[in-house]
Amino acid sequence: MVQRRRLLDFLPHLILLIGVAVVAFPVYVAFIASTWDAATISNGSMPLRPGPHFAENYYRTIFIGTSSSTREPVGTMMLNSLIMALTIAIGKIAISLISAFAVVYFRFPFRMTAFWIIFVTLMLPVEVRIFPTYKIVADLKLLDTFAGLTIPLIASATATLLFRQFFMTVPDELVEASKIDGAGPMKFFVDTLLPLSITSVAAMFVIQFIYGWNQYLWPLLITTKDNMQTIVIAIKKMIVTQDALTEWQLAMATAILAMLPPVFVVVVMQRLFVKGLVETEK
Amino acid sequence: MSDVRLQSVRKVYAGGVEAVKGVSLEIADGQFCVLVGPSGCGKSTLLRMVAGLETISGGTCSIGDREVNEIEPADRDIAMVFQNYALYPHMSVYDNMAYGLRNRGTPKDEIDRRVREAARILEVEPFLERKPRALSGGQRQRVAMGRAIVRKPKVFLFDEPLSNLDAKLRIQMRVEIKKLQRALGTTSIYVTHDQLEAMTLADQLVVMNKGQVEQAGAPITLYERPMTIFVAGFIGAPPMNLLDLPASGLPGLSLASPVSGPVTLGVRPEHLELSTEGGALAVEVQVTAVEAVGAESYIYGALGGQGPEIIVRIPGRDLPAIGASLRAIARSENLHFFSRETGIRLN
């Protein structure tokens, strides 16, 4: 019996460990590659232990950048990505909170129509409406600006639906108590609804920050200037396919750097994130 | 003056459902009025119309000498205690009580004074910094009451405030609510479906059914002289025995002075006593079940062996055997006669 139990304890762990290895090993290799010099990587004999060029490679990546392909230090790109991801995440949350508030708590004409129109946009992600959206942004002279990069991505049916679902679980009596306590709609929103939504907001922030950070197609279209590039695009650009030598150590360092902010956000928000998805503070 | 006057108040919902069908009611200054009735009788809707949480479809509602039909809930000078307390979960007990005052721009030291006074009266002082979820049901109930009394409103509105508490706490809070209301002298409207709560709390008891007032008055009047069959069956526990008398009479039942026409006879279980003597009403019952509840017992029996069920209350625990035949009598002042067609009292 004891033997069998041990086996049953061991087996799931083994499977999980294999899963972790499958996910983590490429990341590990990327990190190792970012600590060797270009010659060691390109001759195909890179060892699986950290190399001596860690500081040098990361300094070059962050402050100088590759010599040919991106022509801009990755530090700038990280800043660009950060501004884009934060603007998208915060913008999405702000707009969704307000629209969900309107849909749930106000009885205006065509309320359900408005709700369904928002709902239908789930079927129209940026990729589907990319040409008209590009045209609008271009006509508004928003190419190569942060506004052009973020605003078209801000409208979010997902977040609106999530907040709507959450708001509908808030007891009606709280609204009524607020009315009797002399709080108007906006005061109710700020004093009661927002504090109660904090965990949902955190969950949404994690999801939308990563969504924003990982944007590839849209920034590729909208940005043409070197100093507007985002880090995700830079990784692709650094891996040159022509005869030029790919500076693999820098590309790998960029990949590692690109991973850090989303990981940081997930780690910091983890507890709130899980709480926001599974329970509510009521 | 903070009396509440309702004049043929109606509530018609969008779908055409008429929840309240013309209710007129006067609640005097300082009076404790209890609205009672089965679920769906419109009692909560009526209360919510007084609160301003539902619009009034017809008629007028005035608080003091002001008609409040079109006035926002916050400006009606009322405070409400909800069934699930509706405390703000993210605010401390102190903030919960202070919130309404802050929104009205009451000076800080005045808020502090009032909140602490309410906390003292309701014995929630040790919990002022806690969040509602760290409180027990009874404590939350007290905080909800505190939130109402700090405002010093003209009218308290209670919407089944005790139905989420356990039986023991319910009785304790019932007594406290009554005491508090006496002490503050604030006009109160209280909605409940529990007739015991209604009887013990009310100065004026209003029995509602199907959106209409069946009878309003002092609780003891409703108990002694119910004006309709509905009130007769609703007030009192166990309920009044209601027997439909055909013109030919019922087997096993004899009346000293026979009545004519199709009537319903009502007699309360506590007004029936086991006796072999004659009375205004005498019934022969065959025992089908007995319930001993301590100081008294209830005998369930079939009239005349197979007729309708009759409940008789007897003192003590001296229970008859199942199947035994008993004879119970009642005095004439304890008999209630109602018209079978209209349900209205005849005597």
Side-chain angles (χ1 to χ4, degrees):
Chain A
M1 278 308 280
V2 177
Q3 289 286 325
R4 275 178 65 191
R5 278 222 22 215
R6 248 187 218 156
L7 184 69
L8 282 179
D9 276 350
F10 175 72
L11 207 63
H13 279 97
L14 184 72
I15 295 169
L16 288 174
L17 282 172
I18 293 171
V20 168
V22 168
V23 174
F25 186 69
V27 177
Y28 178 74
V29 173
F31 174 71
I32 295 300
S34 72
T35 60
W36 290 95
D37 57 305
T40 318
I41 302 169
S42 42
N43 71 20
S45 62
M46 187 187 80
L48 278 178
R49 61 188 156 75
H53 299 283
F54 174 81
E56 181 201 327
N57 286 348
Y58 278 86
Y59 178 81
R60 254 195 80 193
T61 314
I62 296 173
F63 297 105
I64 300 164
T66 57
S67 42
S68 56
S69 56
T70 55
R71 299 177 298 275
E72 194 66 38
V74 172
T76 316
M77 301 175 201
M78 283 188 88
L79 192 68
N80 289 344
S81 278
L82 191 70
I83 294 173
M84 178 178 73
L86 281 178
T87 314
I88 291 176
I90 294 170
K92 267 178 187 283
I93 289 171
I95 289 214
S96 305
L97 274 172
I98 296 169
S99 45
F101 180 56
V103 167
V104 175
Y105 288 100
F106 292 86
R107 300 281 165 275
F108 52 91
F110 305 111
R111 185 176 66 100
M112 283 321 280
T113 318
F115 172 71
W116 281 108
I117 290 172
I118 294 174
F119 193 78
V120 161
T121 61
L122 271 181
M123 287 182 259
L124 299 169
V126 178
E127 290 76 8
V128 177
R129 55 186 162 89
I130 200 146
F131 180 72
T133 312
Y134 180 86
K135 172 78 174 139
I136 290 170
V137 170
D139 287 353
L140 290 172
K141 308 239 179 313
L142 290 177
L143 295 180
D144 275 322
T145 63
F146 281 112
L149 203 52
T150 55
I151 291 172
L153 298 180
I154 279 180
S156 168
T158 329
T160 308
L161 288 176
L162 184 113
F163 288 130
R164 173 181 177 267
Q165 291 313 109
F166 172 72
F167 288 170
M168 295 205 321
T169 67
V170 173
D172 287 344
E173 282 88 350
L174 278 185
V175 187
E176 294 171 348
S178 294
K179 273 187 197 166
I180 291 177
D181 272 340
M186 283 324 281
K187 210 161 165 37
F188 167 71
F189 181 64
V190 173
D191 286 351
T192 305
L193 215 47
L194 278 188
L196 290 179
S197 318
I198 203 80
T199 50
S200 308
V201 168
M204 226 47 232
F205 180 80
V206 173
I207 294 171
Q208 302 298 0
F209 180 85
I210 294 172
Y211 166 85
W213 185 270
N214 287 347
Q215 279 305 311
Y216 180 75
L217 182 60
W218 187 248
L220 191 66
L221 284 176
I222 294 301
T223 59
T224 51
K225 288 183 192 154
D226 288 343
N227 64 0
M228 283 300 292
Q229 293 174 103
T230 64
I231 191 164
V232 178
I233 290 176
I235 298 172
K236 173 71 180 67
K237 274 196 190 167
M238 280 178 184
I239 303 166
V240 277
T241 42
Q242 298 95 314
D243 0 314
L245 179 69
T246 297
E247 292 177 277
W248 280 107
Q249 81 281 23
L250 300 190
M252 288 304 165
T254 310
I256 294 291
L257 287 173
M259 253 170 47
L260 289 180
V263 168
F264 177 77
V265 166
V266 169
V267 169
V268 169
M269 301 283 234
Q270 183 170 211
R271 270 188 49 221
L272 277 174
F273 176 75
V274 173
K275 231 177 143 186
L277 290 185
V278 300
E279 62 170 71
T280 51
E281 196 194 339
K282 276 195 301 293
Chain B
M1 278 300 282
S2 51
D3 54 332
V4 177
R5 275 188 321 281
L6 303 174
Q7 274 171 341
S8 39
V9 167
R10 292 170 64 243
K11 176 73 197 180
V12 185
Y13 283 109
V17 180
E18 198 171 10
V20 175
K21 304 169 184 169
V23 168
S24 295
L25 211 55
E26 290 223 9
I27 300 155
D29 188 25
Q31 201 177 44
F32 201 116
C33 171
V34 177
L35 304 178
V36 69
S39 46
C41 70
K43 57 189 191 298
S44 280
T45 312
L46 191 64
L47 185 82
R48 292 164 56 81
M49 284 196 280
V50 176
L53 299 172
E54 300 272 359
T55 54
I56 298 173
S57 316
T60 60
C61 169
S62 346
I63 297 173
D65 15 278
R66 191 166 61 132
E67 191 196 302
V68 294
N69 280 31
E70 301 299 325
I71 293 175
E72 287 293 313
D75 304 324
R76 290 192 181 193
D77 212 357
I78 47 118
M80 187 153 169
V81 178
F82 295 89
Q83 182 176 355
N84 63 4
Y85 322 131
L87 299 174
Y88 307 112
H90 57 290
M91 293 186 196
S92 68
V93 166
Y94 185 98
D95 290 335
N96 260 290
M97 293 206 260
Y99 187 61
L101 294 172
R102 281 189 194 135
N103 288 342
R104 285 174 173 76
T106 316
K108 243 191 167 138
D109 48 337
E110 173 73 8
I111 294 178
D112 193 63
R113 203 179 55 69
R114 286 207 208 172
V115 170
R116 296 205 180 274
E117 191 191 336
R120 190 179 52 74
I121 295 172
L122 293 162
E123 296 164 15
V124 291
E125 277 167 312
F127 319 123
L128 278 179
E129 297 313 315
R130 287 205 204 160
K131 295 277 171 67
R133 68 167 168 277
L135 302 179
S136 69
Q139 288 162 347
R140 286 182 206 182
Q141 183 59 58
R142 284 160 195 272
V143 176
M145 305 249 303
R147 187 167 65 179
I149 67 175
V150 291
R151 297 246 320 275
K152 302 197 167 143
K154 278 187 181 157
V155 183
F156 286 143
L157 305 173
F158 298 90
D159 191 1
E160 308 207 14
L162 304 182
S163 44
N164 283 0
L165 300 178
D166 62 56
K168 198 177 156 206
L169 206 51
R170 202 179 300 166
I171 295 170
Q172 187 192 336
M173 287 305 293
R174 192 170 79 200
V175 176
E176 284 188 31
I177 288 180
K178 184 76 178 168
K179 268 198 230 160
L180 192 67
Q181 194 267 345
R182 279 279 146 74
L184 298 170
T186 310
T187 313
S188 302
I189 306 179
Y190 187 108
V191 163
T192 180
H193 58 258
D194 181 298
Q195 58 97 16
L196 193 64
E197 225 170 273
M199 291 292 287
T200 49
L201 284 170
D203 295 325
Q204 180 179 206
L205 181 57
V206 179
V207 177
M208 289 186 67
N209 185 30
K210 294 177 183 159
Q212 275 166 326
V213 172
E214 287 276 334
Q215 190 176 354
I220 204 68
T221 313
L222 267 66
Y223 175 82
E224 283 174 348
R225 274 186 69 82
M227 295 313 288
T228 64
I229 291 185
F230 181 82
V231 176
F234 197 81
I235 300 290
M240 185 187 279
N241 297 305
L242 290 167
L243 303 165
D244 290 338
L245 294 187
S248 55
L250 279 171
L253 180 142
S254 55
L255 282 164
S257 46
V259 288
S260 58
V263 295
T264 297
L265 164 68
V267 60
R268 294 192 184 278
E270 54 268 41
H271 291 146
L272 282 169
E273 53 179 320
L274 300 183
S275 168
T276 49
E277 291 162 34
L281 168 77
V283 288
E284 305 282 344
V285 294
Q286 191 174 9
V287 180
T288 54
V290 287
E291 276 180 354
V293 291
E296 57 196 35
S297 305
Y298 301 112
I299 299 170
Y300 293 78
L303 181 68
Q306 64 270 352
E309 182 176 77
I310 295 223
I311 309 172
V312 180
R313 192 190 75 170
I314 58 164
R317 280 161 301 188
D318 199 3
L319 299 174
I322 307 273
S325 281
L326 299 173
R327 185 164 184 278
I329 57 161
R331 285 188 287 186
S332 65
E333 68 262 33
N334 291 328
L335 298 184
H336 311 271
F337 293 98
F338 302 96
S339 156
R340 186 104 55 87
E341 284 110 52
T342 58
I344 291 171
R345 186 181 187 89
L346 297 171
N347 63 327

